[in-house]
Amino acid sequence: MALKKIKIIDLGMVDYNEGISYQKKIHNTIADNANVILLEHDKVITIGTKGNENDVLVSASQLKKEGFSVIKSDRGGQVTVHNKGQLVCYIVMPISNYDLKPIDFIRKIESLIINLLKNFDISSYIIKGKTGVWVKSDNIEKKIAAIGVRISNGISMHGFALNINNNLSDFDFIVPCGIQGSLVTSVQKESKKVVKLNDLKLILQAELENNFDCEVIND
């Protein structure tokens, strides 16, 4: 039996709304196989379907001064930040074609991130009742990846955002994922090495193949 395919589409740095529009276009035209869209967004705060505007901690005028936009998203989850140096991965997949139920799909994403981080000698895990992937650094739990998805007509949208070498101080303007006192970290900070986004993308492709038992092709 032939392996299912996942096509990688690397958009690079893209405005958030432009990236969402592109994702919706793929979602509306997708057939049997999945598309994974890789991109970066410049400074933007997004509020998911379970998010609370009170988790944005500063005024609209201050956010504008800092260069942020604030956008309500139809993804699951709460409030997060996207910025340069963070890898955003939108997974547009007809999940039943990959023998997955929604909860299985989430578990696959978590496993993908955890296995990817092992390549950088970073031990990570999930925490029951808290979304995303976490590490323990200086004996403190810190989030390294945010996960927020939506399933529409059996096809997934959105996915995850993994902090690579981005400015973590941008998260000071929010309550990350609605968890008071939550701290964030990045691959570069935890590995104590210079991590290039393009190098990580190659590892991501291999982990996509392993975790979803598929063949990855590049657009």
Side-chain angles (χ1 to χ4, degrees), residues 82-155:
H82 299 307
N83 57 2
K84 182 176 173 56
Q86 179 193 73
L87 178 63
V88 178
C89 184
Y90 293 144
I91 304 174
V92 188
M93 174 182 287
I95 61 173
S96 63
N97 287 12
Y98 292 75
D99 299 319
L100 299 173
K101 296 178 181 178
I103 190 62
D104 302 324
F105 178 65
I106 297 292
R107 296 288 90 86
K108 286 283 188 182
I109 293 175
E110 292 167 345
S111 176
L112 168 70
I113 297 167
I114 289 168
N115 288 333
L116 187 155
L117 291 173
K118 288 178 182 176
N119 290 274
F120 298 90
D121 297 319
I122 297 172
S123 177
S124 59
Y125 50 91
I126 60 172
I127 300 174
K128 188 174 181 179
K130 297 181 179 180
T131 61
V133 174
W134 301 72
V135 302
K136 184 162 278 190
S137 176
D138 301 321
N139 212 35
I140 300 171
E141 289 178 336
K142 301 176 184 179
K143 179 177 275 194
I144 197 167
I147 298 172
V149 302
R150 181 184 180 208
I151 309 293
S152 177
N153 297 322
I155 302 170

Side-chain angles (χ1 to χ4, degrees), residues 94-217:
I95 61 173
S96 63
N97 287 12
Y98 292 75
D99 299 319
L100 299 173
K101 296 178 181 178
I103 190 62
D104 302 324
F105 178 65
I106 297 292
R107 296 288 90 86
K108 286 283 188 182
I109 293 175
E110 292 167 345
S111 176
L112 168 70
I113 297 167
I114 289 168
N115 288 333
L116 187 155
L117 291 173
K118 288 178 182 176
N119 290 274
F120 298 90
D121 297 319
I122 297 172
S123 177
S124 59
Y125 50 91
I126 60 172
I127 300 174
K128 188 174 181 179
K130 297 181 179 180
T131 61
V133 174
W134 301 72
V135 302
K136 184 162 278 190
S137 176
D138 301 321
N139 212 35
I140 300 171
E141 289 178 336
K142 301 176 184 179
K143 179 177 275 194
I144 197 167
I147 298 172
V149 302
R150 181 184 180 208
I151 309 293
S152 177
N153 297 322
I155 302 170
S156 65
M157 295 180 67
H158 303 285
F160 67 89
L162 176 62
N163 296 328
I164 312 298
N165 53 24
N166 49 325
N167 181 4
L168 300 177
S169 65
D170 285 343
F171 287 84
D172 293 344
F173 297 103
I174 67 167
V175 178
C177 297
I179 304 170
Q180 290 286 346
S182 178
L183 298 177
V184 295
T185 189
S186 67
V187 176
Q188 186 158 291
K189 186 171 182 179
E190 295 305 316
S191 66
K192 298 179 173 59
K193 298 175 184 175
V194 174
V195 178
K196 296 181 179 179
L197 213 55
N198 286 337
D199 293 341
L200 187 138
K201 287 175 182 177
L202 293 174
I203 297 170
L204 173 64
Q205 290 189 28
E207 295 299 343
L208 279 167
E209 289 186 337
N210 292 336
N211 281 271
F212 286 99
D213 192 24
C214 66
E215 177 188 356
V216 168
I217 57 176

Side-chain angles (χ1 to χ4, degrees), residues 63-88:
L63 288 173
K64 185 176 180 180
K65 183 179 177 182
E66 295 288 342
F68 280 99
S69 54
V70 180
I71 296 174
K72 289 188 176 181
S73 171
D74 62 1
R75 64 166 171 79
Q78 301 186 29
V79 177
T80 195
V81 164
H82 299 307
N83 57 2
K84 182 176 173 56
Q86 179 193 73
L87 178 63
V88 178

